[in-house]
Amino acid sequence: IYRGDTNGFLINGALHTIRGAGNIGWSGIPTAFTNDGAVLAEGVNPLIVDCSAGVTNTGLMQASAGTLRIQGSGTLDNSAGVIEALDGEVVELGGSVTVTGGELTSAGTGVIRSISANPTLNGSASTVINNAAIEIPNSARLRLSGEVENNGSIALQDSGSDTYLHPLDGPVTLSGDGELTLTDSPTNWIYRGSSTGALVNGPTHTI
């Protein structure tokens, strides 16, 4: 699904559902997309949402019976939306996508996973509320800015190939009552990803 002329873009209405696998947007022809309804990843193949032209989510984007991959070089404004991984499913964050604000959630063994070097959770203008299990697997990275209210878990899972969590652009606050965990590896890294990056571990949060 991508624009057929220079002015094309797509709005998924509040009562409407897009479900299945394939692509919404394409980096070759970036296409703006607004989701006010539901986007459900279902199938053996992933449902890929490319954010290179900007995506706004005020509804639900869910890995319901398949993988939801959010990628691209742009921003997904999730400040009024929910991104969710159901039991046994995965939401992947790829490319250099930035997810701003809103709620991240998962159920059972569902996870939200960084699969590249540059995805960012940006809570600068609107706090990112994490009620999910977030994974940063071996050799991947995740960048944070602003405030992330972590009531779930963020796991650095290095097994020998350098795995990173980078605070950006001033102090990043990890609030909430969740945990940031690191595997038993000397090459898990938490350090600033910009000249002003710093990390504040809130009073009820555990590393």
Side-chain angles (χ1 to χ4, degrees):
I1 302 172
Y2 61 86
R3 61 183 172 84
D5 61 26
T6 57
N7 298 315
F9 62 94
L10 181 65
I11 298 173
N12 190 41
L15 302 178
H16 193 264
T17 298
I18 298 173
R19 66 170 75 236
N23 298 270
I24 301 174
W26 174 41
S27 60
I29 302 179
T31 303
F33 174 54
T34 295
N35 176 50
D36 296 325
V39 173
L40 309 179
E42 299 178 347
V44 174
N45 295 296
L47 178 60
I48 300 171
V49 179
D50 186 90
C51 300
S52 298
V55 171
T56 299
N57 178 42
T58 65
L60 173 67
M61 301 180 75
Q62 183 186 82
S64 54
T67 296
L68 174 64
R69 184 178 302 154
I70 299 168
Q71 64 180 32
S73 58
T75 296
L76 192 162
D77 180 356
N78 190 53
S79 55
V82 175
I83 299 171
E84 181 175 32
L86 292 187
D87 187 26
E89 306 302 337
V90 180
V91 174
E92 296 177 337
L93 303 178
S96 56
V97 69
T98 296
V99 177
T100 64
E103 181 181 359
L104 310 177
T105 186
S106 63
T109 60
V111 298
I112 295 175
R113 178 180 296 149
S114 171
I115 61 168
S116 69
N118 292 308
T120 301
L121 299 179
N122 185 342
S124 298
S126 175
T127 300
V128 174
I129 300 172
N130 180 49
N131 295 314
I134 295 177
E135 295 181 348
I136 311 168
N138 186 52
S139 78
R141 302 176 188 234
L142 183 65
R143 307 187 302 177
L144 306 177
S145 61
E147 181 174 357
V148 176
E149 182 183 320
N150 180 33
N151 302 307
S153 63
I154 302 172
L156 275 158
Q157 299 177 325
D158 185 78
S159 58
S161 297
D162 294 312
T163 305
Y164 302 87
L165 183 70
H166 292 310
L168 302 173
D169 303 328
V172 170
T173 299
L174 285 173
S175 59
D177 57 7
E179 293 189 348
L180 168 58
T181 63
L182 298 83
T183 53
D184 186 5
S185 170
T187 48
N188 281 306
W189 301 97
I190 301 172
Y191 62 83
R192 61 183 173 86
S194 66
S195 60
T196 57
L199 182 65
V200 176
N201 190 42
T204 59
H205 192 266
T206 300
I207 299 176

